[in-house]
Amino acid sequence: MKRKAAFLFLILTLVILLTGCWNRKELNEIAIAVGLGIDKKGDQFRVSVQVVDPEEASTQKGSGGQASATLFTSEADTVFEAVRRLTTLSPRKIHFSHLRICVIGESMAMEGIAKPLDFLSRDHEFRSDFYLVVTKHASAEDTLKIMTPLETIPADKLFSSLESSEKNWAPSTTVTLDQLMADLISEGKQPILTGLQIVGEQGAGETKKNVERISPPTRLQYSGLAVFKKDRLIGWLNEIESKGYNYILGKVQSTVGFVTCPKGGKVAMEIIRTHASMKGNVYRGEPRININLQIEANVGEVECSDLDLTKASTIYDLQKKCEEKIAGIMESAIRKAQKSYKVDIFGFGEAIHRGNPKVWKSLKQNWDHEHFAKLPVNIKVDYRIRRLGTTGSSFLNEIQR
């Protein structure tokens, strides 16, 4: 009898505990946000949310009669209020757990991004794996209106394109919410974000004609890096300087560059692997930085008719030229940050802190404007050519004979 009572008690306990998903939401009750834009309009925040239309996004069910995503916008005194006010426009409550990209308007960034970031970090619906970017000469709302080819959902295009550009070209960089907030509160590194611009006609990009032509009249393109001082945008790095920034931080996974030949023409190199190390030290009371960059590359294209790649001396000369050029690219990024903006976007201050914590205590108060602006940086590049491709010397040598 006792066994039966105990068994019955166990069954009742399991029934009480296994009550199912008490806070479940059916798919037909929610709207999934994939893109978020934040602008400043007067004293209010203007929030734009790109929501997926699941039927149109599906390749099997899409009718092709309407866009695969819808944009809702609203304004309020705070970002949280603006997001909730979207319920007056959207037939479903918007959920942000699948957010792919957050676009911050340039004017918003110049004023300061700390306030909207507090909402993004505090609200439990937001995960921290989405990327943040800054618009260039456009608003976040206008950017999220552009229809994109290949990827029917523009936010997916922005997410994938940023990752692809970072891995294969190098002037762009992915920044998540956690990374951005860590840089904002750091005493030895200022934040950066990748820039996003609209190329072509804004109006044409908002229509379906933009995805019906083989050459769309309007495109979204990543362009350079936005430089911040604390939470305010103060300027931009161009493409070369942005690539130099990523070399310094060891973020370059693969890219392509070239050096010139003695008698004209170019040799294009594909970088396949990099490793960078940064060390800070203090010599006679003065801070200094040493950067060592190791690069492995393959020969990708040869335009020179006078270049014999079968000779070891030719490979050695190419390696030295590449080392000098990449060192110059890195120096251009440092010069821009030191002379034009006077903000440490590289984390040199953090390197000094790691190397000599006691001295850092006396340097950190006036680090950016005083010490970083005149900081000596020693760059050493070790460039190694691993492969010449599927052929040795160029067939151009045969043509010239």
Side-chain angles (χ1 to χ4, degrees):
M1 192 66 182
K2 289 182 178 180
R3 279 188 187 178
K4 290 183 178 180
F7 182 74
L8 183 61
F9 177 76
L10 179 61
I11 294 297
L12 290 173
T13 302
L14 291 174
V15 169
I16 293 172
L17 293 175
L18 301 176
T19 56
C21 300
W22 63 272
N23 63 342
R24 76 186 190 281
K25 297 290 183 182
E26 300 294 340
L27 286 176
N28 60 357
E29 296 176 355
I30 63 174
I32 299 174
V34 288
L36 172 66
I38 305 175
D39 293 300
K40 200 68 184 293
K41 189 173 182 180
D43 294 331
Q44 292 191 317
F45 294 97
R46 185 169 178 84
V47 171
S48 306
V49 179
Q50 192 176 105
V51 175
V52 175
D53 183 334
E55 290 187 3
E56 288 299 321
S58 169
T59 54
Q60 281 118 6
K61 293 184 179 180
S63 64
Q66 61 189 61
S68 297
T70 301
L71 191 70
F72 297 110
T73 60
S74 68
E75 296 176 17
D77 293 326
T78 65
V79 177
F80 197 7
E81 288 178 295
V83 168
R84 283 299 178 89
R85 184 167 284 172
L86 290 171
T87 56
T88 63
L89 300 169
S90 172
R92 305 173 184 177
K93 187 178 184 299
I94 299 174
H95 283 251
F96 292 90
S97 55
H98 295 281
L99 190 69
R100 305 283 273 171
I101 197 90
C102 177
V103 182
I104 300 173
E106 186 174 22
S107 59
M108 172 82 254
M110 288 180 177
E111 188 169 324
I113 62 175
K115 291 180 180 179
L117 288 184
D118 181 82
F119 165 70
L120 298 181
S121 64
R122 191 178 299 274
D123 194 286
H124 69 278
E125 286 189 6
F126 287 88
R127 299 189 305 191
S128 59
D129 58 350
F130 59 90
Y131 298 141
L132 295 99
V133 297
V134 177
T135 62
K136 205 172 184 180
H137 314 309
S139 67
E141 179 185 358
D142 289 342
T143 304
L144 290 175
K145 288 179 180 178
I146 303 299
M147 299 187 71
T148 55
L150 294 184
E151 293 286 354
T152 57
I153 301 172
D156 282 344
K157 182 272 177 195
L158 293 175
F159 182 91
S160 301
S161 182
L162 184 57
E163 283 193 334
S164 176
S165 177
E166 180 188 50
K167 292 176 181 177
N168 300 294
W169 184 228
S172 306
T173 187
T174 57
V175 179
T176 62
L177 181 61
D178 288 344
Q179 292 172 322
L180 179 58
M181 294 184 66
D183 289 345
L184 283 168
I185 63 177
S186 172
E187 294 179 331
K189 187 178 187 298
Q190 298 288 355
I192 60 94
L193 289 175
T194 299
L196 176 64
Q197 65 180 4
I198 300 172
V199 179
E201 303 176 22
Q202 168 72 33
E206 297 176 13
T207 67
K208 200 168 183 180
K209 292 181 180 179
N210 201 50
V211 296
E212 292 177 342
R213 294 171 56 178
I214 193 169
S215 178
T218 312
R219 294 182 184 271
L220 294 174
Q221 180 180 15
Y222 288 111
S223 175
L225 296 178
V227 178
F228 285 79
K229 185 173 184 179
K230 295 299 182 181
D231 69 325
R232 296 175 184 267
L233 172 65
I234 60 171
W236 296 88
L237 300 183
N238 63 28
E239 186 175 70
I240 297 298
E241 295 159 351
S242 299
K243 189 175 283 191
Y245 168 89
N246 283 325
Y247 275 128
I248 292 168
L249 268 67
K251 290 186 175 183
V252 176
Q253 299 178 51
S254 179
T255 189
V256 177
F258 73 89
V259 290
T260 56
C261 301
K263 296 182 180 180
K266 302 180 182 70
V267 180
M269 302 288 188
E270 179 195 14
I271 291 176
I272 58 172
R273 201 172 294 111
T274 68
H275 179 266
S277 62
M278 180 193 303
K279 292 185 178 180
N281 59 67
V282 179
Y283 180 73
R284 293 182 179 178
E286 295 296 324
R288 59 186 62 229
I289 295 291
N290 294 310
I291 299 173
N292 290 312
L293 177 64
Q294 296 175 335
I295 297 177
E296 296 180 37
N298 297 332
V299 175
E301 181 181 355
V302 178
E303 296 180 353
C304 316
S305 59
D306 60 329
L307 203 65
D308 187 356
L309 294 176
T310 61
K311 293 183 178 179
S313 59
T314 302
I315 301 299
Y316 178 82
D317 290 340
L318 285 176
Q319 289 177 162
K320 288 301 175 185
K321 285 185 176 181
C322 291
E323 288 173 354
E324 293 174 2
K325 183 168 185 178
I326 289 177
I329 291 173
M330 296 164 71
E331 288 168 358
S332 70
I334 295 171
R335 258 194 322 270
K336 187 70 167 287
Q338 286 183 323
K339 306 303 180 184
S340 301
Y341 302 132
K342 293 183 171 58
V343 290
D344 181 4
I345 57 176
F346 309 102
F348 291 162
E350 291 179 344
I352 298 295
H353 186 196
R354 291 192 299 268
N356 198 321
K358 290 183 178 179
V359 174
W360 172 249
K361 289 182 180 180
S362 63
L363 297 175
K364 65 181 181 180
Q365 295 300 327
N366 301 309
W367 173 250
D368 281 315
H369 195 271
E370 184 177 337
H371 302 291
F372 169 74
K374 58 182 182 182
L375 180 70
V377 181
N378 178 48
I379 297 173
K380 183 180 179 181
V381 180
D382 182 21
Y383 199 102
R384 291 288 180 265
I385 296 175
R386 297 304 184 197
R387 294 181 177 84
L388 304 180
T390 58
T391 183
S393 295
S394 174
F395 69 90
L396 294 175
N397 294 335
E398 302 296 329
I399 296 176
Q400 297 297 324
R401 290 176 184 175

